[in-house]
Amino acid sequence: MIYLDYAATTPICKEALNVYQKLSMDMYGNASSLHDAGGKAKHILEYCREKIANIIGGEASGIYFTSGGTESNFLAIQSLLNGLPKTKRHFITTAMEHQSIHSCAAFLEQHGFDVTIIEPDEYGLITEEILAAHIRPETGLVSIQHANSETGIIQPIQRLSSYLHNRDILLHCDAVQTFGKIPINTEELGVDALSVSSHKVHGPKGVGAVYIRPNVPWKPVYPLITHEHGFRAGTVNVPGIGAFTAAAELIISEMDKQISRNKTLRTYFLDQISIRSLPVTLAADAAQTECLPHIVGCFFHSYEGQYVMLECNRSNICISTGSACSAGYHGPSATMKALRKTEQEALQFIRISFGRHTTAEQLDKLLHTFTALWEQKKGEFDIDRRIKAYGRQQA
């Protein structure tokens, strides 16, 4: 199998798996217990807290471990809003966020918060001018992703955080797609809170973390709990956290090398698309935006993205049509709508994403599949029928 869907998840690395097994067998005590077994587990936990904080340029006291990116986003946003004055109940986020942010926004609206979903400019970027048009005296928190999971577009977080802080507004950043892929320093970015996930960096699933700057006030979502300093309920997953930390340290040690490899693979792939005259174009304007090199979000024109994905799957190649958390929804994605793509373009979207094990030879096999598909001249009727059917459903 050729796996080209690393933006969705990654295989656990042997270093993380070894740590998980060892901690599960030798450090199985509850980190909240007062006996020696609990003390050893707590020591591992605090060691991991320090290591993850160092990786993002933060303080260990601001790290709270969670079950993954989705829970990190939910808990970070709700805890920060809970810590704000009652006069600051206006929350802003963007149309391109991960589904977990949109779900959280809907939950907040149901519980009396005022929510605004802002649109990016024509290049997919959030600017100070866009924020200025929506900020109000009661605005307390803004959540903007570091980079989009479908297009790889990187947001100018450092500029936006400075703009918001000058107006006493907090900024949360979903960095699930960028953690371990590009350098992250919370002080330089100026964010008040950050969400990350383990399974995107070759760690185990079911583990993540939130960073909240220690001087930023917050109140727990679940009252009267003690785990993770009141941030999250439940026995702390020390083996999973240890494995996450091992994977994060490995991915950070390889990051510069991997960035270079990803840029080379991206250039090779796009050059081959041109050489083969394939009807594939990027979703993001590379001349106007900075993108993560390992994510290639594009349109295979005349073909529905889902059809292309299934044809690749028949060739034992894994690609995707967007965020795995939205895979059950078959209409145009929120990101494509935000980028002002037509309904037809949106349904033609596919995503290829590289990882530690991706090779040029694997991309050659993908390109061969694309070429064979294009030569068959299939798909036009299928996508026309699909678009018409989708239009009838919306009517």
Side-chain angles (χ1 to χ4, degrees), residues 45-281:
L45 180 63
E46 298 311 316
Y47 171 86
C48 293
R49 208 183 304 279
E50 185 76 38
K51 290 296 181 180
I52 297 297
N54 288 341
I55 286 172
I56 61 172
E59 299 179 39
S61 60
I63 294 289
Y64 306 95
F65 289 109
T66 69
S67 67
T70 291
E71 188 185 43
S72 290
N73 285 335
F74 263 86
L75 292 182
I77 289 170
Q78 292 181 57
S79 298
L80 290 171
L81 287 171
N82 287 348
L84 290 171
K86 296 301 182 183
T87 56
K88 293 281 191 176
R89 293 177 68 82
H90 179 220
F91 171 65
I92 296 177
T93 191
T94 87
M96 302 179 297
E97 301 299 311
H98 186 265
Q99 182 58 40
S100 62
I101 300 288
H102 290 301
S103 297
C104 184
F107 175 84
L108 291 171
E109 281 190 309
Q110 294 172 4
H111 288 78
F113 286 89
D114 194 0
V115 175
T116 298
I117 308 295
I118 61 176
E119 300 286 340
D121 66 15
E122 64 269 34
Y123 305 114
L125 297 173
I126 302 297
T127 65
E128 294 94 326
E129 292 74 21
I130 291 172
L131 286 174
H134 299 281
I135 286 172
R136 307 199 298 255
E138 60 269 29
T139 305
L141 176 65
V142 175
S143 181
I144 301 174
Q145 61 190 192
H146 196 188
N148 185 263
S149 63
E150 295 177 48
T151 63
I153 292 173
I154 301 171
Q155 295 295 334
I157 296 298
Q158 190 170 6
R159 290 207 323 264
L160 299 179
S161 66
S162 177
Y163 178 85
L164 291 169
H165 288 162
N166 287 336
R167 290 151 182 81
D168 295 322
I169 299 170
L170 299 178
L171 175 62
H172 164 261
C173 185
D174 176 355
V176 167
Q177 282 296 340
T178 54
F179 179 71
K181 308 304 192 318
I182 59 175
I184 292 177
N185 185 292
T186 56
E187 290 300 313
E188 292 178 3
L189 289 176
V191 296
D192 298 289
L194 193 83
S195 299
V196 299
S197 181
S198 164
H199 75 98
K200 304 290 189 182
V201 294
H202 299 276
K205 294 173 177 62
V207 185
V210 168
Y211 178 70
I212 299 178
R213 283 197 297 113
N215 63 334
V216 173
W218 61 272
K219 290 183 180 178
V221 173
Y222 307 111
L224 305 178
I225 63 171
T226 58
H227 295 97
E228 285 303 277
H229 305 289
F231 189 77
R232 179 181 185 262
T235 301
V236 181
N237 179 9
V238 174
I241 291 166
F244 169 33
T245 303
E249 290 186 299
L250 176 65
I251 206 78
I252 292 299
S253 72
E254 298 178 344
M255 185 169 60
D256 290 343
K257 176 182 174 183
Q258 189 61 44
I259 289 173
S260 179
R261 285 191 70 250
N262 288 337
K263 287 180 178 179
T264 299
L265 289 169
R266 183 187 186 91
T267 299
Y268 177 77
F269 179 73
L270 295 177
D271 285 348
Q272 287 297 313
I273 288 290
S274 178
I275 290 169
R276 295 166 186 248
S277 299
L278 292 171
V280 177
T281 58

Side-chain angles (χ1 to χ4, degrees), residues 276 278 315 317 362-375:
R276 295 166 186 248
L278 292 171
S315 299
I317 303 171
Q362 291 177 338
L363 294 183
D364 283 338
K365 292 182 180 178
L366 175 65
L367 289 159
H368 176 76
T369 300
F370 281 5
T371 302
L373 186 61
W374 179 235
E375 289 174 350

Side-chain angles (χ1 to χ4, degrees), residues 1-11 148-153 176-178 181 199-202 258 261-266 269-270 280 282 291-298 309 312 317-324 349-360 362-363 366 370:
M1 179 182 75
I2 296 174
Y3 187 74
L4 295 170
D5 197 16
Y6 285 86
T9 194
T10 60
N148 185 263
S149 63
E150 295 177 48
T151 63
I153 292 173
V176 167
Q177 282 296 340
T178 54
K181 308 304 192 318
H199 75 98
K200 304 290 189 182
V201 294
H202 299 276
Q258 189 61 44
R261 285 191 70 250
N262 288 337
K263 287 180 178 179
T264 299
L265 289 169
R266 183 187 186 91
F269 179 73
L270 295 177
V280 177
L282 289 174
C291 294
L292 294 173
H294 74 288
I295 293 180
V296 181
C298 52
M309 183 268 291
C312 287
I317 303 171
C318 298
I319 65 170
S320 79
T321 55
S323 171
F349 180 79
I350 56 173
R351 181 186 70 188
I352 300 106
S353 46
F354 315 140
R356 294 176 72 218
H357 307 298
T358 304
T359 65
Q362 291 177 338
L363 294 183
L366 175 65
F370 281 5

Side-chain angles (χ1 to χ4, degrees), residues 11-73:
I12 189 169
C13 62
K14 63 180 182 180
E15 291 83 356
L17 192 60
N18 289 340
V19 168
Y20 188 88
Q21 183 179 36
K22 182 172 179 60
L23 292 180
S24 296
M25 296 178 66
D26 299 339
M27 301 288 184
Y28 50 81
N30 189 321
S32 297
S33 297
L34 299 179
H35 47 58
D36 286 352
K40 290 178 181 179
K42 185 173 183 178
H43 176 74
I44 295 295
L45 180 63
E46 298 311 316
Y47 171 86
C48 293
R49 208 183 304 279
E50 185 76 38
K51 290 296 181 180
I52 297 297
N54 288 341
I55 286 172
I56 61 172
E59 299 179 39
S61 60
I63 294 289
Y64 306 95
F65 289 109
T66 69
S67 67
T70 291
E71 188 185 43
S72 290
N73 285 335

